[in-house]
Amino acid sequence: MPNPRTADALAAIGTFIQAQQNAGYAEETVRLRGTLLTEYLEHTLNEEKTAALTAEELVQADRADSWLDAADAGETRRRNTLTGPDAAAAYDSQRARIQTYNAFVDHLALTGLHRPYPASGHGDRLEPEQAYKLLRTLAVRRPTGANAATAIRTAAVAALVAATGRSVPQLHQLNVTDVDLERRPVPTITVNLFDHPLDKHTVEILRRWLDVRAGITEALEGSDPGFLWIPTKPGRERAGVQPPKPGLTRAAVRTLHAAHRSLVLQVIGVPLRPYALLPRR
């Protein structure tokens, strides 16, 4: 019998939907789960600019968190809402996404990948004081075994999520030239043509990341491509092909998500996703 984990993700979704129908789930539930899993797959393929993934590759936690954060920020929405196209996703919609994902990983016998449910409407977002405390902790504490450069990059990404109200996917395409820490009277960062003012603490963390980044890109031959978020160490060799040097490519969204989840879990014992730092709407 074929292993459903190694099947093409789209085919695996089709098999899962058929299994849901055979199990007697309501037609509306089955249709919604098919729609949400297709949204998940399309988001991941577009984000990673790849043509296909296996089912097991698709459901990795960092990819799921990237999708949930993008959906929470309204980035996967195809229709307008009464509060505008960029409104945060409704609590029930996010819960349905998590229920669907969890049911799919159960189907694949990968229950260890379950994503937690929010307690109540966006109740898993931090209050401003909590967010500030977490950011300060990320900036100064270095967990045992953590890569220092990765920790500083993670703290910088988290600080910008809180300062700009933008999600990780929205901040992913930033370049170094979008950052103006010398601007007076207030330093800024430009995201989608909009200038966001930066507080003193965020400026301090960004300076530290830019210093670390400069040390990484010194090893590049030729000019610096200018990506703000870059890998902090070489990737793995694949099929005999050496990975590009850090700095030649952008750090993937899923890499930024995974680093955030890992560092926050080590620091405070709770695997909060970056969107927990977004201001409440």
Side-chain angles (χ1 to χ4, degrees):
M1 184 175 180
N3 186 342
R5 299 181 186 178
T6 58
D8 175 79
L10 183 58
I13 290 171
T15 301
F16 167 71
I17 295 304
Q18 185 61 56
Q20 295 271 288
Q21 291 174 332
N22 295 342
Y25 283 89
E27 181 180 344
E28 294 79 5
T29 299
V30 175
R31 185 185 307 114
L32 175 61
R33 288 183 171 180
T35 298
L36 293 178
L37 287 174
T38 300
E39 174 193 275
Y40 176 26
L41 177 60
E42 290 179 349
H43 167 79
T44 304
L45 294 179
N46 289 335
E47 182 179 272
E48 300 185 20
K49 296 179 175 58
T50 188
L53 292 168
T54 66
E56 187 167 14
E57 288 172 337
L58 175 64
V59 298
Q60 292 307 300
D62 43 9
R63 289 188 169 108
D65 286 346
S66 177
W67 167 54
L68 291 170
D69 274 13
D72 187 79
E75 294 168 22
T76 63
R77 184 177 291 115
R78 296 184 178 184
R79 293 179 294 181
N80 205 345
T81 69
L82 293 176
T83 52
D86 297 324
Y91 167 74
D92 288 343
S93 296
Q94 286 297 83
R95 188 171 183 84
R97 285 183 173 90
I98 295 172
Q99 286 177 328
T100 297
Y101 170 84
N102 287 348
F104 187 44
V105 297
D106 284 346
H107 169 75
L108 298 173
L110 293 168
T111 55
L113 292 175
H114 275 188
R115 312 318 296 148
Y117 294 103
S120 60
H122 294 301
D124 50 352
R125 288 196 182 171
L126 301 176
E127 296 295 340
E129 297 79 7
Q130 295 173 313
Y132 178 76
K133 182 177 180 180
L134 174 58
L135 291 173
R136 291 294 301 177
T137 303
L138 292 179
V140 300
R141 284 187 58 183
R142 193 72 63 243
T144 303
N147 178 287
T150 301
I152 293 172
R153 185 190 65 192
T154 300
V157 173
L160 282 184
V161 169
T164 66
R166 305 282 183 154
S167 66
V168 173
Q170 290 172 315
L171 299 173
H172 175 244
Q173 294 296 316
L174 289 174
N175 294 315
V176 173
T177 53
D178 295 318
V179 182
D180 189 353
L181 301 185
E182 307 305 325
R183 184 167 178 173
R184 295 292 178 266
V186 181
T188 62
I189 189 165
T190 304
V191 185
N192 293 337
L193 304 180
F194 184 80
D195 290 341
H196 294 268
L198 300 177
D199 61 271
K200 181 179 179 181
H201 176 62
T202 302
V203 169
E204 174 188 330
I205 296 175
L206 273 175
R207 285 193 193 281
R208 291 176 59 198
W209 164 241
L210 289 174
D211 286 344
V212 170
R213 182 191 176 282
I216 294 173
T217 57
E218 279 182 2
L220 295 179
E221 297 176 2
S223 59
D224 181 345
F227 308 132
L228 181 57
W229 312 119
I230 60 173
T232 56
K233 52 188 176 182
R236 291 175 296 176
E237 180 180 318
R238 295 182 183 275
V241 178
Q242 291 294 326
K245 293 182 179 180
L248 289 176
T249 59
R250 294 185 192 276
V253 174
R254 62 188 297 258
T255 298
L256 300 179
H257 272 281
H260 178 93
R261 186 178 64 252
S262 176
L263 184 60
V264 171
L265 178 61
Q266 291 183 59
V267 169
I268 65 172
V270 180
L272 291 174
R273 301 202 305 272
Y275 89 88
L277 295 162
L278 290 170
R280 295 172 182 266
R281 303 188 187 189

